[in-house]
Amino acid sequence: MNTHETTVHAADSRYAMFRLGLTLLIMTVGSSGMYVVSVMLPAVQAEFGIDRADASLPYTWLMLGFGFGGVLMGRLADRFGVMWPLLMGSAFLGAGYIATGLSGGIVSFTVAQALLVGLLGSSVAFAPMVADTSLWFVKRRGIAVAVCASGNYLAGAVWPPVAQHFVETVGWRQTYIGIGVFCGLAMALLALFFRARPPALVHVPPVNASSAAVVRDMTRPFGLSMGVAQGLLCVASVACCVAMAMPQVHIVAYCGDLGYGPAQGAMMLSLMLGFGIVSRLVSGAICDRIGGLRTLLLGGVLQCVALLLFLPFDGLVPLYVISALFGLFQGGLVPSYAIIVREHFPPKEAGARVGTVLMFSLFGMALGGWMSGKVFDLTGSYHAAFLNGIGWNLVNVSITAFLLFRTLRRPAGRVSASPAR
């Protein structure tokens, strides 16, 4: 904890709401890296003369760096406050975009994406911000985390059409350089408002019989050891995001293969992630009522339904409709993991544990993006890739149902579905 901090703000206060609004902006700007690279995929593949799987590797390595960076930046935020990692991330994000625009081949392109954009840049605008937000709210933690995480999807709604426009008018290299200058400066300015530390890390609540029982219960989340419980959440997170990555990473290329053109794919991606914002907000409200596990199970089942719909329909209008449904069904999945961690694990470990689970979700996105491209190269179509995503989705649903079953079997006195105090 920084001893020089003198101003203490309460949870659920006006300042917390103001901070949440700024967090939404940070997430929108900083998460651009996850979506711009998907729009660039066809142009990069054409310029470097590589196959679809190799063209997908920058996204894969970007997401791996993004995941590891979330844990790294989360630990720095726990120690020094989130402002300093944000300032550092803004500098590396801007530099990473510029380096990508100047890259001479797929290797240098991938290195810039993985190390600068992913590991040291965009990563600070996801897991650390979600964990930070969860510590600023008590009464409406679910909806607050959902609003925060919506910045990630707002980025997905805003950046693909913007990037596609400039790719068509000035080229992908100049587009990357321009985005780098804008995002680096914008994130740095917003970071200056994040000096205050979360009240959950400043105040130590008094210990009474009730709180002692909660602490004891949190040492056995779901009636399992801490390591096993976190491990199952990480596997579930990987599985749901492998499935999620199939449409998100390849919808632009898929539309190109069907003859509709990459511009239509970029619009579908924007629509998908725009509806994901609605889904995240609705799921946050649902989380506050039924808890994170039930919300995660609901989202997992609905995501599987949307993936199934991609199999029989490939017309332009049906693809727009299914893209919207996919975004609407799966948008609340990732924020649910943060709520589950806050409900079933000790609050003082929120930063590290939320960062770890979300890191595995990003690993899932990275694996899913590459795997879908590889399946396409082997089969010549995306039909098998959709089936692969459905299989992974069923793994997520099975683990979530198992954990929910474990909580329902536990005796009275377990942690309730309401947000942890």
Side-chain angles (χ1 to χ4, degrees):
M1 180 184 302
N2 291 343
T3 57
H4 64 271
E5 298 288 354
T6 57
T7 302
V8 177
H9 299 278
D12 302 294
S13 62
R14 288 185 178 180
Y15 174 79
M17 294 299 297
F18 171 72
R19 188 183 180 99
L20 178 60
L22 295 180
T23 298
L24 181 63
L25 293 177
I26 285 278
M27 293 275 280
T28 302
V29 174
S31 297
S32 55
M34 296 177 63
Y35 305 105
V36 170
V37 68
S38 298
V39 176
M40 304 296 186
L41 190 153
V44 170
Q45 180 182 2
E47 176 159 340
F48 293 147
I50 54 181
D51 61 23
R52 186 66 51 82
D54 287 341
S56 301
L57 279 176
Y59 176 86
T60 299
W61 284 102
L62 165 69
M63 298 306 291
L64 289 173
F66 198 104
F68 281 116
V71 178
L72 170 65
M73 294 295 186
R75 292 187 180 277
L76 290 176
D78 286 341
R79 183 171 182 181
F80 302 108
V82 77
M83 182 184 73
W84 293 108
L86 280 173
L87 288 172
M88 183 176 72
S90 65
F92 281 111
L93 180 63
Y97 278 137
I98 294 172
T100 300
L102 298 175
S103 60
I106 192 62
V107 174
S108 57
F109 183 100
T110 302
V111 169
Q113 288 288 304
L115 295 183
L116 299 178
V117 177
L119 180 69
L120 300 173
S122 287
S123 62
V124 73
F126 189 54
M129 303 309 297
V130 171
D132 182 77
T133 298
S134 75
L135 296 170
W136 279 95
F137 291 86
V138 175
K139 295 178 181 178
R140 293 290 181 268
R141 181 177 293 138
I143 191 65
V145 168
V147 170
C148 166
S150 293
N152 180 262
Y153 271 14
L154 186 58
V158 169
W159 288 105
V162 171
Q164 183 65 36
H165 169 74
F166 284 104
V167 167
E168 293 175 351
T169 55
V170 299
W172 68 268
R173 293 181 180 277
Q174 292 81 359
T175 299
Y176 260 127
I177 293 172
I179 292 176
V181 173
F182 173 81
C183 290
L185 292 176
M187 275 188 64
L189 292 174
L190 291 169
L192 299 177
F193 292 94
F194 285 79
R195 182 180 179 86
R197 300 300 302 276
L201 300 182
V202 176
H203 298 295
V204 179
V207 177
N208 52 38
S210 175
S211 63
V214 170
V215 170
R216 287 195 300 271
D217 189 80
M218 283 187 168
T219 63
R220 298 283 299 175
F222 320 113
L224 303 169
S225 70
M226 300 277 275
V228 170
Q230 174 121 25
L232 286 173
L233 284 177
C234 289
V235 173
S237 184
V238 169
C240 87
C241 290
V242 168
M244 189 184 302
M246 172 55 236
Q248 286 192 16
V249 178
H250 289 273
I251 192 66
V252 176
Y254 183 43
C255 284
D257 293 343
L258 292 173
Y260 301 130
Q264 294 285 356
M267 290 303 298
M268 286 182 198
L269 179 60
S270 178
L271 181 68
M272 182 186 300
L273 299 173
F275 272 86
I277 298 172
V278 177
S279 175
R280 289 199 164 174
L281 295 176
V282 172
S283 296
I286 293 173
C287 259
D288 285 328
R289 289 165 175 77
I290 67 174
L293 274 174
R294 290 178 177 86
T295 305
L296 180 62
L297 181 60
L298 176 63
V301 171
L302 291 176
Q303 176 175 263
C304 193
V305 170
L307 286 170
L308 284 167
L309 290 175
F310 276 105
L311 295 176
F313 301 105
D314 60 3
L316 184 60
V317 173
L319 283 175
Y320 269 106
V321 173
I322 297 169
S323 295
L325 287 176
F326 185 82
L328 189 62
F329 289 163
Q330 54 81 40
L333 286 169
V334 173
S336 295
Y337 289 104
I339 301 301
I340 291 169
V341 170
R342 290 292 285 116
E343 289 173 348
H344 296 276
F345 292 84
K348 67 179 181 179
E349 301 176 8
R353 293 194 181 275
V354 169
T356 300
V357 174
L358 295 187
M359 174 183 72
F360 277 89
S361 75
L362 295 168
F363 287 175
M365 293 295 290
L367 177 62
W370 172 83
M371 187 180 295
S372 297
K374 191 63 176 179
V375 171
F376 173 87
D377 289 335
L378 292 174
T379 65
S381 77
Y382 277 118
H383 187 87
F386 281 115
L387 290 174
N388 177 69
I390 291 168
W392 282 91
N393 199 111
L394 292 175
V395 173
N396 165 261
V397 170
S398 299
I399 293 175
T400 307
F402 169 74
L403 294 178
L404 180 58
F405 176 72
R406 296 278 305 184
T407 63
L408 294 176
R409 291 183 60 227
R410 298 176 68 188
R414 70 182 187 277
V415 178
S416 67
S418 61
R421 295 313 197 256

